[in-house]
């Protein structure tokens, strides 16, 4: 069973450009959350999708948007990139109904390293 | 792989010693807490969790302690091994819907000296 997968692994963009990151959740999971992890810091919650809708959102501007597809995979889009958007972007999947060792356990992917020049 | 934190507080221990990593959480309403381990180039990996109705939980070589009075968590790792070297984060959330976002602490780098 594949865990959470993310693509691409690394990405380099310039200021003002737009970027799309992709995530496939763990099998059986219907909820996808996105986190931004700046160097030297803990991950910060961006937003969460399930049933193809954004359900929760952290303190991020509208330049950050997303989508969830019927197969539960998800995309994170960032417009008008700033230097400060350089970070590791993590996707986590979960499902309260999927069982597992712990309630609300979120399984993280390896992340996409975005560098904005 | 890439380092996940160049400027994190660092705990350096000798192989075989016990390690204690501390975390202060922010929301007194949080009722579910998790410790994650993040190795270089990887996403956070679940280690152990604890609910707010408990003050201690033990796993394999790991123990989590919760002090709600002072909003403090600790992770104890027994007989620390080189493979334990990583960055450790605590996270807090609410269990009500099962879909709540996680709020992470700032992390501690654990270095195990052979």
């Amino acid at each position: 069973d594949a865990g959470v997968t993310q693509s691409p692994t690394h990405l380099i963009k310039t200021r003002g450009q737009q970027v799309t990151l992709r995530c496939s959740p763990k099998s059986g999971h219907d909820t996808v959350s996105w986190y931004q992890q700046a160097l030297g810091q803990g991950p910060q919650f961006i937003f969460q999708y399930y049933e193809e809708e954004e359900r929760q959102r952290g303190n991020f501007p509208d330049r950050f948007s997303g989508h969830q597809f019927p197969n539960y995979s998800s995309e994170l889009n960032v417009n008008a990139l700033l230097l400060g958007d350089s970070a590791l972007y993590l996707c986590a999947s979960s499902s309260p109904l999927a069982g597992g060792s712990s309630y609300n356990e979120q399984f993280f992917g390896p992340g996409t390293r975005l560098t904005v020049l | 792989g890439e380092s996940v934190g160049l400027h994190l507080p660092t705990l350096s221990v000798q192989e075989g010693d016990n390690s204690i990593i501390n975390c202060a959480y922010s929301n007194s309403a949080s009722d579910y807490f998790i410790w994650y381990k993040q190795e270089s180039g990887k996403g956070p990996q679940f280690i152990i969790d604890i609910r707010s109705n408990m003050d201690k939980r033990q796993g394999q070589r790991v123990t989590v302690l919760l002090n709600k009075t002072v909003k403090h968590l600790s992770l104890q790792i027994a007989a620390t091994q080189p493979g334990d070297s990583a960055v450790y984060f605590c996270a807090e959330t609410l269990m009500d819907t099962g879909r709540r976002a996680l709020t992470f602490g700032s992390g501690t780098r654990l270095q195990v000296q052979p």
Side-chain angles (χ1 to χ4, degrees):
Chain A
D1 171 35
V4 179
T5 59
Q6 293 186 244
S7 63
T9 307
H10 294 84
L11 203 52
I12 300 174
K13 292 286 188 178
T14 57
R15 282 177 295 175
Q17 285 189 312
Q18 179 265 342
V19 68
T20 297
L21 311 181
R22 296 175 176 82
C23 170
S24 291
K26 185 176 169 66
S27 178
H29 286 185
D30 63 356
T31 302
V32 173
S33 301
W34 287 92
Y35 292 80
Q36 180 195 65
Q37 186 176 25
L39 202 59
Q41 297 181 23
Q44 286 198 305
F45 174 71
I46 303 174
F47 44 53
Q48 181 186 82
Y49 279 83
Y50 69 91
E51 295 181 344
E52 301 179 47
E53 290 189 18
E54 183 182 298
R55 301 293 181 172
Q56 298 177 62
R57 189 178 184 93
N59 188 25
F60 280 81
D62 292 345
R63 297 187 298 110
F64 289 77
S65 64
H67 189 78
Q68 186 178 35
F69 299 93
N71 67 352
Y72 307 126
S73 67
S74 177
E75 289 182 347
L76 164 65
N77 301 293
V78 187
N79 294 323
L81 284 166
L82 304 174
L83 295 179
D85 294 331
S86 295
L88 181 68
Y89 288 85
L90 294 163
C91 170
S93 74
S94 64
S95 174
L97 301 178
S101 62
S102 300
Y103 189 61
N104 199 38
E105 182 174 353
Q106 296 194 22
F107 292 80
F108 284 84
T112 294
R113 171 66 65 184
L114 172 64
T115 302
V116 182
L117 302 177
Chain B
E2 296 182 35
S3 171
V4 297
L6 297 178
H7 306 291
L8 293 167
T10 298
L11 174 65
S12 186
V13 301
Q14 293 292 319
E15 182 178 357
D17 287 351
N18 296 332
S19 303
I20 299 176
I21 299 171
N22 296 303
C23 173
Y25 65 92
S26 58
N27 186 355
S28 56
S30 294
D31 59 5
Y32 183 58
F33 306 89
I34 310 163
W35 279 100
Y36 283 93
K37 172 185 181 183
Q38 189 173 23
E39 297 173 285
S40 190
K42 297 183 179 180
Q45 178 186 2
F46 174 96
I47 302 174
I48 190 168
D49 60 354
I50 188 167
R51 301 184 185 189
S52 60
N53 61 354
M54 305 171 69
D55 52 23
K56 180 179 180 179
R57 189 165 188 227
Q58 289 184 294
Q60 187 177 12
R61 283 201 306 119
V62 294
T63 300
V64 55
L65 300 178
L66 173 63
N67 185 331
K68 294 183 290 293
T69 302
V70 295
K71 293 192 290 186
H72 183 268
L73 277 167
S74 68
L75 176 69
Q76 301 177 1
I77 304 174
T80 312
Q81 302 169 359
D84 295 326
S85 294
V87 177
Y88 289 81
F89 294 98
C90 67
E92 60 181 296
T93 190
L94 292 166
M95 287 187 66
D96 54 357
T97 66
R99 300 183 190 272
R100 293 289 188 182
L102 295 168
T103 300
F104 283 82
S106 55
T108 298
R109 176 183 300 282
L110 177 64
Q111 291 182 338
V112 182
Q113 308 297 329

